[in-house]
Amino acid sequence: MEQTRIGVFVCHCGSNIGGVVDVPAVVEYARALPNVVYAERNLYSCSEAGLSSLKQGIRAQRLNRVIVAACTPRTHEPLFKNACEEAGLNRYLFEFVNIREHCSWIHRKDKEQATEKAKRLIRMGVAKASLLEPQEETESNVIPAVLVIGGGIAGMTAALNLARQGFRAHLVEKQARLGGWLPHINRLCPTDEEAARLIDSVIREAQAHERIILHMPATVQEVSGYIGNFHVTVAEKEGKCTFDVGTIIVATGAEVLQPLGLYGYGRFPNVITQLELEERLRPPPSPSPVNDGGGKRWESTVFINCVGARIPERPYCSRVCCMTSLKNAIRLKKQNPAAQVYVLHRDLMTYGVEFERYYRRAMEAGVRFLRYDIERPPQVVGNGRAEAVVVWDTLRGQERRLPVDAVVLNAPLIPASDNATLSRLLKVPLAESGFFLEAHVKLRPVEFATDGVYVCGTARWPADVSESIAQAYAASAKAAIPMRAGAVTAEAITAFSVPERCMGCGTCVVTCPYQAIELRIANGGHVLSGTEGLQKQVAWVNVVQCKGCGSCVAACPSKAMQQRGFTDQQVLEMISVISGL
Amino acid sequence: MMNQSVLVIGAGIAGIQVSIDLAQMGFPVYLVERTPSIGGRMAQLDKTFPTNDCAICILAPKMIECAGHKNVHLLTYSEVVGVEGHAGDLRARVLQKPRYVNMERCTGCGECAAKCPWRVPDDFNVGLSNRRAIYIPFPQAVPRKATIDAPHCVYLQDRAKNRCRMCEKVCQPGAIDWEQQERIVELSVGAIVVATGFDPYDAGVLKEYGLGKIANVITGLQYERLVSASGPTSGELRRPSDGKPPREVAFIQCVGSRDVNYNPYCSSVCCMFATKEAILANEHDPQCRSYIFYTDLRAVGKRFQEYIARARTEYNVTYIRGRPGVIGENPQNGNPIVRYEETTAQQLRAMEVGLVVLCQALLPRRGQQDVAKLLGVELDEYGFVNAPARLRRPVDTSVPGIFACGYCSSPQDIPDSVAQASGVAARVAEMLAGE
Amino acid sequence: MNTPEVEIRERVRQLLDDDRLPGVLGLRAEHGHVGPHVFNSADDLTALVLEPRYGMALVCQAILDGSPKGRLGVVARGCDERALIEMAKLGQVDLARLVLIGLACSEQQARECMCTRPYPRRIDVGEKVAGVAPGDDARVQQLLAQDVQARLAFWQSEFNRCIKCYGCRNVCPVCICDACVLEEMCWVERGKIPPELPFHLIRAYHIADKCILCGACESACPVDIPLTTLYALSQARLKELFDYEPGLDVTQKSPLTTTLEETPLHEL
Amino acid sequence: MSEQDFHPRIVAFCCNWCSYAGADLAGVSRLQMPTDFQVIRVMCSARVAPEWIIKTLSAGIDGVMVLGCHIGDCHYIAGNHRAAKRFALLKEMLGFVGIHPDRLRVDWVSASEGTKFQTIVTEFVERVRELGPTREFVTAHRRLDTD
């Protein structure tokens, strides 16, 4: 075996380290440590001069491990690792020792002790470095194709974007037609453009694109694999279809709550949902102006917001309903300016510029707003049909009785009923609310923790058309990154299992937050006592999915699981340095 | 063939995200930032709603990733001064302001700032503390290099007098470079992304709220710095007048927003950040009570309603529907007195509190007009970037090849900005593919 | 009324004859010796006895491992069943291949073993009597009343008798590793008797979320180290911290592998 | 040996994303603290094997800190949840066999909490000084061995 030859480069960082730590003494100390064959000091290790001296040292001294004792690895590690590589040394044979942030800067008053501590830290570094091994970053290919689940506006936008970037897109829609909810909508807030015109043009584009393969009506039945290489089985009318993709986008949308039993819905024929109103408003052959089917014009309409939303069993706000009320209230006013139109609301969620402007437009159009309290909800009263809504007006402090020709209930979007199935198929989580749970609420809104699987639109959370489209683009960007590169690489700090030690207990599998570990029957695995040919399963880490947290390693009782660059031996060696001093 | 490079203007979370995404997609990116460090407004925040994640903890790795990516070329302390051409073939002129510090030599040790004798109100801490004339804007700044604030440097003010030059004396690597000049960088790109973010509205315009007159009336952004561990009080919530921790904090929503006299639109994020700030007040001092005066409690995002419910039940936060008319001051103890109508009870009331936080309107960045003029993009009447096809193409501006994301395009929170930013990356890729 | 032996024999006969199970694992008395035996229909069931107590889980595993398919009946006390459930969680036995004949222990037996649950989930024979909560162990209480110095002195004097025979590990049904860290130089120094603290503590930690308090380790210890006292403490704490008990339900995950949302951590 | 002369040997395991960054910030802010601790960087507090703690304390190191991201901030979704649970249980077991549970400190330090890092280190060093060296119980153990 090659002899271990460690080089130690200690940085003065001007006076930042040198002004506190006795650098020459530290260099002398380092030189005498086991396996160290070379030590030097630099005024600034990160300067051009420092880096070329480092490279020179590696070549001239035939170093096979390098330690830089300087500042924090969090900012400077890549710089030194690159320098090692340029000098022909595997970048994983480099160890960083922080004697600035963690020593000279915090022990300025005690130079002697600070110097001793710098020595200890370097000795720990040397102990670890002796056990470092060269690592190869694993690269795995990425198939330049995407599976988009859901053929609504979000799914089609994502598929089209990726197809236009040159990727094949499998678009799976469970219904017999594309478009999702939008074909049921009349006009869109805040531009008042016809939903049909927007969605029809997108449907035509999606159908026409040569790289989009439509599976419809079809459902995803099985998914296996990982980023770059997913194997997908789709159930279609004519049996099964299988194909491979590199990435997956979930754009399955949401459903709308049916407010059965609420506010007279299902009991009075003139209590309808917002969606039913949309159908009536839609041009032609829908009757216009709106009437109750018997020909009588609606002279008085009451919209009730938050029907079945923001209540204990469904605490969330569905984000888009207030705007829908405003839009349709204005529409009714336009069709019949003399009509009374009330919107009963709790907080009115017209966030931002456009929606707030729309709110003012509604007020100008004569729509009346009345704030109700969930403690005293509106009552829809009538006999055979709704005749009036009785409501406590919180801002006036009085009860109002509003006669009605129709009541329109504004119910929230709810998670799609097949989310749970899809969540299991793709091994991606659902939040408590039942919508899909992204990797990080703040900074990774369209990604799942599982690499290569993304989410957009109302499958993730209620969103309006433009938000859904923006998210669809975002998911496309995330999917395009590995597909454009054609490969994914993982920093070699991933976990790996030693099959001879593994008992297949599965503790690592449960512990892993990324589903990167599975149990596999492997040759060379643990063979059951007294049997021939029968093999137990052993843990297998998919390094493409592993993020290198090491949680599984700490959990493994036989220590069959280890982490590159953070093995038990390396850390115990560092500990024994301190305890032995 | 279209030029495959992209210019991104503004390096807040949106600009950083779009740069990282584009760079990872393989496009060369020029990221131009007006200030000495990337990070933008998010770097100033303490925590983020609704998870109370520490803002800098989650942002700093992105900043480092962005600056370290081989496809990203950072141009900090720089401004775009000219643009011509058309989608796929745009030429931009970028002015690099002199830092008077050699970027290669500076190690970011901060000795210069420690010794510089000239104190300047610190923008990063929203004027709550001073920095020096030579400075690193915040500890996690990227690049971590010093900058001399020329108008406040006594030497640069009058070189002939040859005063001070303390930074030069203490800088061991010899990074101070008095001879640095403005530099124009010419860039050829295929697309441009505008991500210039927001500025808080000057709440002092609303005289009735006493900002600047009453010591214990501060703004939301100042509050963020006050509770931040890296802020002027090392994260202890102490009010400006006497340094005492307040026992009651009042948060006033819609200060200068949703008001036709000032800014008619809704700033979208204030209900939530006030809730977060109120929760933090209670975390700092479990005795502390908060009152949030609101018009509509706009909590439309993921887990927002639950966050508000927890604020109520676990963190001593009371929500009062009403917009205070005037804020006075108790001369004895410096306590602000909030006068308001509790609209749900139809009653006029007054409340004495230890600290008032004004959640002021957030406006497009100062200078957005100039950027828009250079680029030829339309703005709406409030100065947000207009998206003519806002439903179908939400991140496209009125000019082909130019896109916008983040707060400069419309009031939105961090996840929406991040999603939009990634969305822009996909749109740029689609456009530059030329199909 | 029949004795438990008679009842068990009848149940075993039913399984063998009526349900055509190929074998049932129980204890057999032969020439004055008692040991585990797989009874089949040809065997004389009067040789089937219940005493002395004998851990069946490892025997079960060995039998199942020895034949790739087929089912096995087993006379199982509470501790046997819990051991099998934990082993199943760890992928070591397939519960679907086992038919358990549940045997509840008597009050006296429960007291002798300081048993927490002296009965299986389904009792075929015997009557359910209350167990001892792990924290109620008198020695645990006594030690907790002392300060850390005194506890250290106690354990040192106990551990110093250890001859590192690995008996505790070998008989433990939830100590499943073939490659054991206690035999690794970097964790436990070689050739050193008594072994240092990590020997006992690492083992205690490894089984802390799996130990079903069967007491086999202590019975096996040739120098009588009160190991169950140490493990009873961790079981008591496991219950208080996570409201979790090993061995009750094969679908329950160890709280040490889950998030705080999945299994909350209660402050003590 | 008096408390003042005693320089305890302390290891602090810090996760790469929050607490190591918090320690860096303490450095950048020049916050002064005792020299008696060494940081070992790991990617996540969940990598810290409880066996390490057992080994460390038995080897005569006087105190161990495990510092991670605040709950909710973990870079690896919920690694610190596992750490919190493992060490809650381990602490109890340590105390029961006579290693003072205060010799293990588990805490959360964010990237912006340089001051908190300083406070924790200072307090912990002080506490370990009060507790005295573990060497005594280690050697007591060894002495019996050689008797």
Side-chain angles (χ1 to χ4, degrees), chain A residues 280 287 289-298 385:
Chain A
R280 293 186 191 210
V290 178
N291 61 37
D292 59 1
K296 182 177 174 291
R297 268 159 61 117
W298 290 355
R385 50 185 292 114

Coordinates of all heavy atoms in Angstrom, one line a residue, chain A residues 280 287 289-298 385:
Chain A
R280 N -73.8 28.6 -15.8 CA -75.0 29.3 -16.3 C -74.5 30.6 -17.1 O -75.2 31.1 -18.0 CB -75.9 29.8 -15.2 CG -76.5 28.6 -14.5 CD -77.5 29.1 -13.5 NE -78.0 28.0 -12.7 CZ -79.2 27.9 -12.2 NH1 -80.0 28.9 -12.3 NH2 -79.6 26.9 -11.5
P287 N -78.5 30.3 -20.9 CA -79.5 31.4 -20.9 C -78.9 32.6 -20.3 O -78.2 32.6 -19.3 CB -80.6 30.8 -20.0 CG -79.9 29.8 -19.2 CD -78.8 29.2 -20.0
P289 N -79.9 36.9 -19.7 CA -79.3 37.0 -18.4 C -79.6 35.8 -17.5 O -80.5 35.1 -17.8 CB -79.8 38.3 -17.8 CG -81.1 38.5 -18.5 CD -81.0 38.0 -19.9
V290 N -78.9 35.8 -16.4 CA -79.1 34.7 -15.5 C -80.5 34.6 -15.0 O -81.1 35.7 -14.6 CB -78.2 34.8 -14.3 CG1 -78.4 33.6 -13.4 CG2 -76.7 34.8 -14.8
N291 N -81.1 33.5 -15.0 CA -82.4 33.3 -14.4 C -82.5 32.0 -13.7 O -81.5 31.3 -13.7 CB -83.5 33.5 -15.5 CG -83.4 32.4 -16.5 OD1 -83.1 31.3 -16.3 ND2 -83.7 32.8 -17.8
D292 N -83.6 31.7 -13.2 CA -83.7 30.5 -12.4 C -84.2 29.4 -13.2 O -84.7 28.4 -12.7 CB -84.6 30.8 -11.2 CG -86.0 31.2 -11.6 OD1 -86.2 31.3 -12.8 OD2 -86.8 31.4 -10.7
G293 N -84.2 29.5 -14.5 CA -84.7 28.4 -15.4 C -86.2 28.6 -15.7 O -86.6 28.3 -16.7
G294 N -86.9 29.3 -14.8 CA -88.3 29.6 -15.0 C -88.5 30.9 -15.8 O -89.6 31.3 -16.0
G295 N -87.4 31.6 -16.0 CA -87.6 32.8 -16.8 C -87.5 34.1 -16.0 O -87.3 35.2 -16.5
K296 N -87.5 33.9 -14.7 CA -87.5 35.1 -13.8 C -86.1 35.6 -13.6 O -85.2 34.8 -13.3 CB -88.1 34.8 -12.5 CG -88.2 35.9 -11.5 CD -88.9 35.5 -10.2 CE -88.9 36.6 -9.1 NZ -87.6 36.9 -8.6
R297 N -85.9 36.9 -13.9 CA -84.6 37.5 -13.7 C -84.2 37.5 -12.3 O -85.1 37.7 -11.4 CB -84.5 38.9 -14.3 CG -84.0 38.9 -15.7 CD -84.5 40.2 -16.4 NE -83.9 41.4 -15.7 CZ -83.1 42.2 -16.3 NH1 -82.8 42.1 -17.6 NH2 -82.7 43.3 -15.7
W298 N -82.9 37.3 -11.9 CA -82.5 37.5 -10.6 C -82.4 39.0 -10.2 O -81.5 39.6 -10.8 CB -81.1 36.8 -10.3 CG -81.1 35.3 -10.4 CD1 -82.2 34.5 -10.5 CD2 -80.0 34.5 -10.3 NE1 -81.8 33.2 -10.6 CE2 -80.5 33.1 -10.4 CE3 -78.6 34.7 -10.2 CZ2 -79.6 32.1 -10.4 CZ3 -77.8 33.6 -10.1 CH2 -78.3 32.3 -10.2
R385 N -88.0 27.0 -1.5 CA -86.9 27.7 -2.2 C -86.4 28.8 -1.2 O -87.1 29.2 -0.3 CB -87.3 28.3 -3.5 CG -88.5 29.1 -3.5 CD -88.9 29.6 -4.9 NE -87.9 30.5 -5.4 CZ -87.1 30.3 -6.4 NH1 -87.2 29.2 -7.0 NH2 -86.3 31.2 -6.8

